[in-house]
Amino acid sequence: MQNVEAFKELLSSPKKIVVIPHYKPDADALGSCLGWAGILKKKGHHVQVISPTDYPIFLKWMKGEDEVLVFQEERRLQIERQVQEADLLFCVDFSGLGRIGELGKMVEASEAVKVIIDHHLEPEGFADYLFWSTQAAATAELVYELTVQMGDRGLIDKDIAECLYAGINTDTGSFKHSNTTKNVHLVVAELIDLGADTSKVGNLIYDTNSLSRLKLMGYALSKKLVVLKRYKTAYLSLSKEELLSFHTQTGDTEGLVNYALSLKGVVFAALITEREDGVKLSLRSKGSFSANEVARDHFSGGGHRNAAGGRSELDLKATVEKFESVLPLYLKQLNNVN
Ligand code: 5GP
Ligand code: MN
């Protein structure tokens, strides 16, 4: 990590700080924000976490979650003022201003010192400090390391450790993905030492399904899974009406794309959903095949090699057709994955 000394100096007197996760924050984005906010508060700063959108109910146990300000049109002026008046802005688990919706323009216009803490590919160059590594499995791993480098390990309590553990657990697919390094396990061991109850966090994240969510999953897998053997690809698409009929809440479709990827012989999977604000794609891949490249080159998105996302201006049907139509471009790569 770069400039830690100068960064430490910057945080040596109380500051007004805003911490922002990406659109529809997942456990890593929200857990990293809340963990980091917890540390900054203990250091005497005034900290506000501002989320561009709401987030899944299974993250609502995180300490400090009840103080997160979620962007809504009625709160625009209040949020604009907070971003404008901040001394420091932390962009956590994203590195492109297109990932925070309406907040993007506010961050761009702000004169605050801007800091990115992130592990996604291809960061934009808007930050004064960049704590960024694509080697990190989760942003929460980077938050832990930054805290240690600042000499503040002692400030990590049980609540903060559990926020960070949640991010690492989910971004590694419960320690299954290829990003699960020795360092991941070492950091988790430290978080357990610092009080994280890993079993409790696992239960809160994975075992709190609503009946409608399970029914949605059952419906999607039994009725909507399309397998394209030639391209070693499987995908699911869900319309606004289908999502509505299962009373879908934010986060209910999370994990669905992994079922498609879990099919034997499949190396690329997509979940294509029609949301209030357009069509969203969630892409996953195995091994050398880059979901990031497909997201970046065809769906205005990005992410990591094996987990990426994007969006489409087309309607659901046309997006599905477009998805199918780009596969032939990758025929060789798709068939070369071991
Ligand atoms: P998910 O499919 O779970 O929404 O996202 C998978 C990964 O891709 C996450 O790391 C997420 O941050 C990233 N991602 C999702 N959607 C987008 C997008 O529209 N643009 C970019 N750049 N990254 C995305
Ligand atoms: Mn992450």
Side-chain angles (χ1 to χ4, degrees):
M1 299 212 191
Q2 42 153 236
N3 309 344
V4 175
E5 286 311 313
F7 182 67
K8 257 169 89 169
E9 179 60 32
L10 193 64
L11 289 177
S12 64
S13 58
K15 295 283 187 307
K16 271 190 251 169
I17 297 179
V18 168
V19 182
I20 304 173
H22 59 71
Y23 184 92
K24 296 281 173 194
D26 53 11
D28 189 33
L30 194 67
S32 296
C33 280
L34 292 174
W36 184 235
I39 288 161
L40 293 172
K41 281 181 195 163
K42 288 191 178 190
K43 288 174 77 66
H45 301 289
H46 178 274
V47 189
Q48 178 67 59
V49 177
I50 304 181
S51 176
T53 65
D54 65 348
Y55 39 81
I57 197 155
F58 57 79
L59 301 181
K60 296 203 172 174
W61 54 270
M62 290 180 174
K63 179 77 189 281
E65 178 280 321
D66 51 345
E67 290 169 13
V68 173
L69 201 52
V70 176
F71 180 85
Q72 280 167 6
E73 207 41 58
E74 316 77 274
R75 294 184 183 144
R76 177 187 287 276
L77 288 178
Q78 179 196 357
I79 288 176
E80 209 155 35
R81 203 183 57 235
Q82 296 221 28
V83 172
Q84 231 167 43
E85 288 176 359
D87 302 310
L88 271 115
L89 287 174
F90 284 93
C91 296
V92 177
D93 199 40
F94 70 94
S95 40
L97 293 178
R99 296 279 285 133
I100 52 172
E102 298 287 318
L103 288 172
K105 285 187 216 91
M106 299 182 199
V107 171
E108 198 166 18
S110 162
E111 288 180 3
V113 173
K114 295 167 197 167
V115 187
I116 288 177
I117 310 178
D118 187 35
H119 67 140
H120 288 92
L121 297 166
E122 299 158 358
E124 286 173 8
F126 65 86
D128 300 291
Y129 290 88
L130 185 61
F131 297 116
W132 172 77
S133 168
T134 54
Q135 302 301 307
T139 296
E141 188 182 344
L142 294 174
V143 169
Y144 174 80
E145 284 176 351
L146 180 59
T147 307
V148 171
Q149 284 189 32
M150 290 182 58
D152 289 325
R153 183 185 184 278
L155 297 181
I156 302 178
D157 58 22
K158 178 180 168 64
D159 293 323
I160 293 173
E162 288 178 349
C163 287
L164 300 181
Y165 174 75
I168 297 176
N169 178 308
T170 53
D171 265 27
T172 56
S174 302
F175 310 101
K176 262 187 319 127
H177 298 334
S178 59
N179 59 3
T180 312
T181 58
K182 174 181 172 184
N183 192 57
V184 161
H185 287 291
L186 290 172
V187 170
V188 167
E190 295 296 326
L191 294 175
I192 292 172
D193 248 4
L194 291 159
D197 181 340
T198 56
S199 167
K200 181 188 91 178
V201 173
N203 280 321
L204 286 167
I205 290 184
Y206 298 111
D207 300 333
T208 52
N209 283 320
S210 62
L211 187 58
S212 54
R213 183 186 185 192
L214 285 190
K215 288 190 172 176
L216 170 71
M217 296 230 175
Y219 167 76
L221 292 175
S222 62
K223 305 272 192 243
K224 305 299 308 260
L225 185 60
V226 178
V227 183
L228 304 169
K229 265 197 172 160
R230 178 172 162 76
Y231 300 108
K232 296 191 168 186
T233 295
Y235 72 86
L236 299 140
S237 68
L238 290 166
S239 69
K240 214 183 282 181
E241 292 72 31
E242 287 169 319
L243 292 169
L244 261 177
S245 72
F246 287 93
H247 313 288
T248 310
Q249 308 283 316
T250 296
D252 278 0
T253 56
E254 209 151 297
L256 200 44
V257 65
N258 295 315
Y259 285 106
L261 189 69
S262 74
L263 268 173
K264 194 172 172 192
V266 164
V267 299
F268 186 40
L271 170 66
I272 307 172
T273 46
E274 188 185 17
R275 306 277 174 176
E276 287 305 318
D277 51 355
V279 175
K280 159 96 186 118
L281 294 96
S282 235
L283 305 176
R284 299 290 184 272
S285 64
K286 286 187 181 153
S288 56
F289 188 69
S290 175
N292 178 63
E293 209 176 300
V294 179
R296 187 193 61 203
D297 293 350
H298 305 283
F299 297 105
S300 322
H304 311 285
R305 188 181 64 199
N306 295 132
R311 52 190 182 269
S312 160
E313 308 301 328
L314 305 169
D315 66 16
L316 183 65
K317 186 166 173 283
T319 304
V320 168
E321 283 166 11
K322 177 173 171 182
F323 177 75
E324 287 207 19
S325 78
V326 303
L327 294 174
L329 303 172
Y330 299 96
L331 181 64
K332 216 162 139 195
Q333 285 120 292
L334 287 163
N335 280 287
N336 279 342
V337 178
N338 319 313

